[in-house]
Amino acid sequence: MSTIFVTPQARTVLIRTCKGFEELDACVQLQIDVWGYSDGDVIPRRVFTVTQKIGGQVLGAFDVSDGAADTSESLVGFAMALPAVRPGPVLQPYLHSHMLAVRPEFRNAGIGRRLKLAQRDDAIARGFQLMEWTFDPLEIKNSFLNIHRLGAVVRRYTSNFYGVSSSRLQGGLPTDRLHAEWWMQSERVRAILSGASAAKPDVEQTNPTTIQETITVPYEIGIWKSSLEYQPRARVVQTENRKRFEEAFARGLAVMDFSTDAKGNGIFELGQWQEPVSPNQRD
């Protein structure tokens, strides 16, 4: 399964499953280039190899502009997902998308979204209903993609999920994470991916959908995280928002949408949401 498309910057990109050690090594190096990881945080090649062997995904995005070959040297992004099972009365198999990276010079070209859609196509073809991943609630662009563009919902928050991280993007803050749930075949997701409004009532999951609470991330957060002088401001936002998310989730609310205002502040929009019924749970 592969897909090819042209970015707004007129680059031709091919997305397909990574093959061979050289391409997996390129995924390892891309982690370092994107996040600045130290050896202790880098996912090694052997984990990518095992991921493919046990039913996971390692998809690569290759720049094949001007007839270039899709080799390890042309890798500009990748997505990696592991197979998992949700515990409960009825076990729910799903894919956990652990990592997605795009080379800095290829960002804002839609490659991240295309990688997620390729993951979805492969997952649905193999019978998966659900994909999950974690993301930093202080990252505005990523939150917009996950929730507004892809249709993921969020009902869980974990403080300091990974412990201390060497990533320069973390800014020395605790690795707090929201847990995205992407019900890939739900009416909500299908509507959003087709271009319908994320707030459109969904007969499958709404009570109806109304926004009951908002949580804001200031547009300056990226500057604050990257500056030793202003990191305390970022920490205050993280601490306050953590408390609000945890309280909202405890009341049964879920993140239903994400928007930005005229200044560029990020706004999480929370309301009531009902989990779709898995085919395994139907009578």
Side-chain angles (χ1 to χ4, degrees):
M1 184 179 295
S2 64
T3 182
I4 192 165
F5 64 98
V6 178
T7 72
Q9 295 78 18
R11 306 300 297 182
T12 304
V13 177
L14 170 69
I15 294 178
R16 62 163 173 80
T17 297
C18 288
K19 303 173 183 176
F21 292 150
E22 288 187 358
E23 292 184 4
L24 299 184
D25 283 337
C27 292
V28 174
Q29 183 59 46
L30 191 54
Q31 296 174 68
I32 300 170
D33 296 341
V34 169
W35 290 295
Y37 279 154
S38 65
D39 289 346
D41 283 329
V42 172
I43 302 298
R45 186 183 73 189
R46 67 182 63 188
V47 175
F48 285 93
T49 301
V50 170
T51 295
Q52 291 184 318
K53 298 296 185 183
I54 63 174
Q57 299 172 325
V58 183
L59 303 182
F62 300 85
D63 179 17
V64 293
S65 303
D66 304 318
D70 54 323
T71 67
S72 59
E73 295 182 356
S74 62
L75 184 82
V76 298
F78 75 88
M80 184 258 261
L82 298 156
V85 175
R86 272 189 169 190
V90 178
L91 297 180
Q92 170 75 56
Y94 69 98
L95 286 173
H96 178 82
S97 184
H98 177 59
M99 188 170 283
L100 188 153
V102 176
R103 196 169 293 283
E105 59 269 31
F106 283 84
R107 289 179 190 159
N108 301 315
I111 296 175
R113 183 174 185 269
R114 291 280 191 157
L115 279 166
K116 298 305 295 184
L117 295 179
Q119 284 186 298
R120 177 178 182 265
D121 289 343
D122 173 77
I124 290 175
R126 294 192 285 138
F128 288 99
Q129 304 288 321
L130 172 66
M131 182 177 291
E132 294 189 356
W133 62 90
T134 62
F135 64 99
D136 186 344
L138 298 181
E139 292 291 331
I140 293 174
K141 285 187 177 180
N142 198 17
S143 298
F144 185 84
L145 169 65
N146 293 335
I147 302 164
H148 187 77
R149 297 292 308 284
L150 295 176
V153 297
V154 180
R155 297 183 289 176
R156 290 173 289 155
Y157 188 109
T158 301
S159 61
N160 206 26
F161 185 78
Y162 293 110
V164 176
S165 172
S166 59
S167 170
R168 55 177 169 262
L169 301 181
Q170 195 62 40
L173 297 176
T175 52
D176 287 18
R177 293 292 184 267
L178 289 169
H179 295 254
E181 300 176 34
W182 200 23
W183 295 90
M184 296 176 288
Q185 298 191 64
S186 68
E187 291 185 20
R188 166 190 164 84
V189 169
R190 289 199 301 267
I192 290 172
L193 295 183
S194 70
S197 169
K200 181 180 178 180
D202 180 338
V203 297
E204 184 179 277
Q205 300 167 31
T206 57
N207 286 323
T209 300
T210 54
I211 301 306
Q212 300 179 22
E213 185 172 342
T214 60
I215 298 175
T216 301
V217 180
Y219 73 91
E220 305 99 328
I221 196 69
I223 297 173
W224 294 349
K225 288 175 68 178
S226 62
S227 166
L228 288 176
E229 179 181 359
Y230 295 117
Q231 276 179 10
R233 297 186 184 181
R235 189 177 295 270
V236 168
V237 173
Q238 183 186 61
T239 301
E240 291 179 350
N241 282 3
R242 177 195 302 142
K243 182 174 184 291
R244 293 194 60 196
F245 275 120
E246 291 175 341
E247 290 176 347
F249 294 155
R251 299 198 308 273
L253 298 183
V255 176
M256 298 292 297
D257 202 358
F258 186 91
S259 60
T260 56
D261 62 18
K263 291 184 177 180
N265 298 312
I267 304 168
F268 290 94
E269 302 177 4
L270 292 83
Q272 297 289 337
W273 181 80
Q274 182 177 345
E275 182 175 309
V277 176
S278 166
N280 296 332
Q281 296 172 307
R282 295 189 177 111
D283 295 332

